[in-house]
């Protein structure tokens, strides 16, 4: 059998160049009968061979019967049930061909997005080792929020995936990058957001303050969050390659410089640039609230003699003058702030590493001064100061004693 390329060349030489079958056979080194068959054939040659019987054929009816009742039964169990004795890999391949006929049908709709209606949210864990400080490295999560209508991309690396940090991260991206509030924030079943239609603590307060709502998708629904999933891949293939990072702060700085460039690209699915289409998206979104919602981790504790408080896996020093007082601790994405009676008694940059002790030198100096004062000997009390007028107690208890001029203090008559 001649190749498709020879068949095309034969027909070209005959119909376009006007060569005879004999001349074509001589030029191409083919038999004249082969050239004649090629000229008569209206379709290109196609190799085919008759199907050969397979050892699986005898087992196929029983496999189909089991798949009809149990579409997800593993191939290894199927092989055991039908008593297959041949190659396990060949059996798995044949079952993989048959199984889609029996699985439940799950059609994927082509979704349409309205301006301002929703933004898709997800966590991306970049495959890169980020220096966290104190010799530690890690891969902190990157919160990615994409406006579904405009495909406008926002992102920021977070210290953790706890509820407090996720809420603070959402507010940071909505306020600083998106500059508006979508009517719905679409999440998967991220534990820091909630599970089984029950939002995590702090999330309802946040969405209520903004007037939006969180929509958590059901399992096995990747299409409804496909936009942000593709953006995660885009970040990994377009932002990450060739970059080095010295810290999470450096990561966020480089990401902030790159995002405007990314939002200027032309997206084929919408035939537009996100930076241009975001105008219509923002116009249909909710405005930012006049007052920022309460975000961050808040706690109230009594400061002990060890004038440190533990937050997010690290210890932070506090002004020792506040020892014994109730202090309020606020931990957000960047700082750890401690106040007592409305006065700031500690302010630290939040550490990304773990099990660290962060100390303000001023707090150490204050502790030394207080310790020296405490260790000074106390003044002794003289004997004359130990004598006290007993009438003080009479007045304290409201007792009035009338003493006759002829009566001594011990009650005897003079």
């Amino acid at each position: 059998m001649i190749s498709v390329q020879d068949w095309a060349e034969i027909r070209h030489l005959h119909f376009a160049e006007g060569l005879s079958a004999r001349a074509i056979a001589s030029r191409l080194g083919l038999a004249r009968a082969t050239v004649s068959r090629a000229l008569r054939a209206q379709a290109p040659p196609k190799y085919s061979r008759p199907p050969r019987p397979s050892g699986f054929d005898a087992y196929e009816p029983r496999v189909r019967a089991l798949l009809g009742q149990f579409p997800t039964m593993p191939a290894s169990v199927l092989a055991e049930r039908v008593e297959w004795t041949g190659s396990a890999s060949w059996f798995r391949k044949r079952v993989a061909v048959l199984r889609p006929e029996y699985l439940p049908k799950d059609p994927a709709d082509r979704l349409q997005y309205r301006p301002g209606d929703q933004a898709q949210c997800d966590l991306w864990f970049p495959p890169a080792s980020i220096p966290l400080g104190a010799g530690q490295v890690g891969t902190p999560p990157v919160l990615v929020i994409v406006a579904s209508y405009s495909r406008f991309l926002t992102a920021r690396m977070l210290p953790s995936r706890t509820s407090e940090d996720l809420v603070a991260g959402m507010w940071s991206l909505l306020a600083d990058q998106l500059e508006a509030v979508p009517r719905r924030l679409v999440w998967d079943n991220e534990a820091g957001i909630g599970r089984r239609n029950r939002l995590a603590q702090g999330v309802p307060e946040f969405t209520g303050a903004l007037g939006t709502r969180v929509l958590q998708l059901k399992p096995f629904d990747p299409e409804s969050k496909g936009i942000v999933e593709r953006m995660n891949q885009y970040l990994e293939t377009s932002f990450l390659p060739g970059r080095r990072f010295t810290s999470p702060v450096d990561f966020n700085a480089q990401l902030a410089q790159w995002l405007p460039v990314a939002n200027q690209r032309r997206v084929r699915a919408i035939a537009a640039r996100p930076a241009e289409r975001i105008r219509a998206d923002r116009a249909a979104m909710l405005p930012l609230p006049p007052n920022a919602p309460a975000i961050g981790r808040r706690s109230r504790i009594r400061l002990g003699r060890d004038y440190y408080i533990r937050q997010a896996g690290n210890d932070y020093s506090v002004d020792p003058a506040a020892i014994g007082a109730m202090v309020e601790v606020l931990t957000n994405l960047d700082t750890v702030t401690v106040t007592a009676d409305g006065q700031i008694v500690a302010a630290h940059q939040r550490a990304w590493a773990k099990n660290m002790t962060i100390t303000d030198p001023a707090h150490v100096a204050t502790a030394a001064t207080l310790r020296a004062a405490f260790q000074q000997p106390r003044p002794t009390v003289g004997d004359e100061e130990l004598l006290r007028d007993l009438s003080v107690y009479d007045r304290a208890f409201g007792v009035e004693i009338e003493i006759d001029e002829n009566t001594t203090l011990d009650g005897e008559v003079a």
Side-chain angles (χ1 to χ4, degrees):
M1 179 181 290
I2 63 173
S3 65
V4 176
Q5 184 173 350
D6 288 339
W7 174 80
E9 182 66 14
I10 290 170
R11 294 178 65 83
H12 168 74
L13 293 175
H14 179 73
F15 294 108
E17 303 294 336
L19 297 182
S20 64
R22 177 180 296 180
I24 296 173
S26 177
R27 174 178 294 190
L28 299 181
L30 299 173
R32 189 187 305 176
T34 301
V35 174
S36 299
R37 284 196 303 270
L39 292 175
R40 290 194 301 269
Q42 299 300 317
K46 183 179 180 181
Y47 173 77
S48 63
R49 65 179 180 181
R52 297 170 56 185
S54 167
F56 183 80
D57 294 344
Y59 297 87
E60 183 173 337
R62 284 182 288 169
V63 171
R64 286 184 175 274
L66 287 171
L67 287 176
Q69 299 179 26
F70 312 101
T72 60
M73 179 179 288
S76 59
V77 179
L78 285 169
E80 180 183 351
R81 297 289 176 84
V82 300
E83 300 179 351
W84 171 261
T85 58
S87 168
S89 61
W90 171 245
F91 187 85
R92 287 196 301 269
K93 291 179 181 178
R94 296 294 299 167
V95 170
V97 173
L98 298 178
R99 193 186 301 276
E101 300 179 21
Y102 300 93
L103 289 174
K105 304 302 183 286
D106 182 22
D109 295 329
R110 295 195 175 187
L111 304 177
Q112 301 293 328
Y113 301 100
R114 300 188 304 273
D117 178 56
Q118 67 162 245
Q120 298 182 11
C121 312
D122 197 17
L123 292 179
W124 170 53
F125 294 87
S129 296
I130 310 296
L132 304 178
Q136 301 181 31
V137 296
T139 306
V142 176
L143 175 60
V144 181
I145 298 181
V146 185
S148 301
Y149 173 76
S150 62
R151 306 300 201 272
F152 192 83
L153 172 62
T154 67
R156 173 176 178 163
M157 180 171 280
L158 304 179
S160 74
R161 59 197 300 182
T162 60
S163 299
E164 296 86 356
D165 285 344
L166 290 178
V167 168
M170 285 191 290
W171 172 247
S172 173
L173 295 184
L174 296 180
D176 301 334
Q177 297 187 28
L178 199 56
E179 300 177 3
V181 181
R183 299 176 185 276
R184 295 186 299 165
L185 298 172
V186 179
W187 275 92
D188 56 14
N189 285 284
E190 176 65 32
I193 297 299
R195 289 284 175 86
R196 297 180 180 178
N197 298 324
R198 185 177 182 86
L199 297 179
Q201 184 176 2
V203 178
E205 293 85 346
F206 173 74
T207 56
L210 271 60
T212 184
R213 65 187 292 258
V214 167
L215 173 63
Q216 285 194 285
L217 301 175
K218 297 180 180 179
F220 310 110
D221 189 14
E223 295 86 3
S224 297
K225 203 164 65 67
I227 293 177
V228 70
E229 297 285 358
R230 287 190 291 272
M231 288 300 174
N232 290 348
Q233 183 66 26
Y234 177 62
L235 283 164
E236 192 164 320
T237 58
S238 298
F239 167 70
L240 206 56
R243 294 182 183 268
R244 295 182 181 274
F245 309 100
T246 60
S247 66
V249 175
D250 179 45
F251 183 97
N252 280 331
Q254 294 191 42
L255 183 59
Q257 293 178 349
W258 177 82
L259 284 173
V261 178
N263 285 320
Q264 286 291 342
R265 77 196 188 285
R266 185 174 180 84
V267 179
R268 182 176 59 86
I270 59 175
R273 303 178 190 276
E276 299 171 351
R277 206 168 181 181
I278 188 60
R279 300 188 188 98
D281 221 353
R282 284 186 182 129
M285 291 182 184
L286 301 172
L288 294 171
N291 299 318
I295 58 174
R297 180 179 305 166
R298 298 173 183 270
S299 59
R300 181 178 172 84
I301 61 174
R302 188 178 298 278
L303 187 64
R305 289 183 57 214
D306 179 23
Y307 52 95
Y308 285 79
I309 52 97
R310 188 163 185 84
Q311 286 290 300
N314 295 300
D315 295 328
Y316 298 86
S317 68
V318 181
D319 189 343
I323 289 176
M326 295 297 296
V327 297
E328 296 183 356
V329 186
L330 171 60
T331 303
N332 58 30
L333 297 178
D334 302 311
T335 60
V336 176
T337 306
V338 185
T339 59
D341 294 329
Q343 300 296 320
I344 296 178
V345 292
H348 298 275
Q349 288 294 318
R350 181 173 176 179
W352 291 68
K354 299 299 181 183
N355 300 318
M356 295 182 61
T357 300
I358 296 90
T359 303
D360 188 336
H363 298 164
V364 177
T366 302
T369 302
L370 293 175
R371 190 176 303 109
F374 179 81
Q375 294 173 349
Q376 289 294 327
R378 298 183 180 182
T380 58
V381 181
D383 293 340
E384 66 280 357
E385 295 181 359
L386 294 176
L387 298 177
R388 195 167 193 178
D389 186 1
L390 297 181
S391 63
V392 173
Y393 298 99
D394 297 334
R395 289 194 297 270
F397 291 99
V399 178
E400 295 183 1
I401 300 178
E402 294 183 0
I403 301 177
D404 187 77
E405 294 179 353
N406 298 323
T407 306
T408 62
L409 292 178
D410 56 3
E412 296 181 357
V413 179

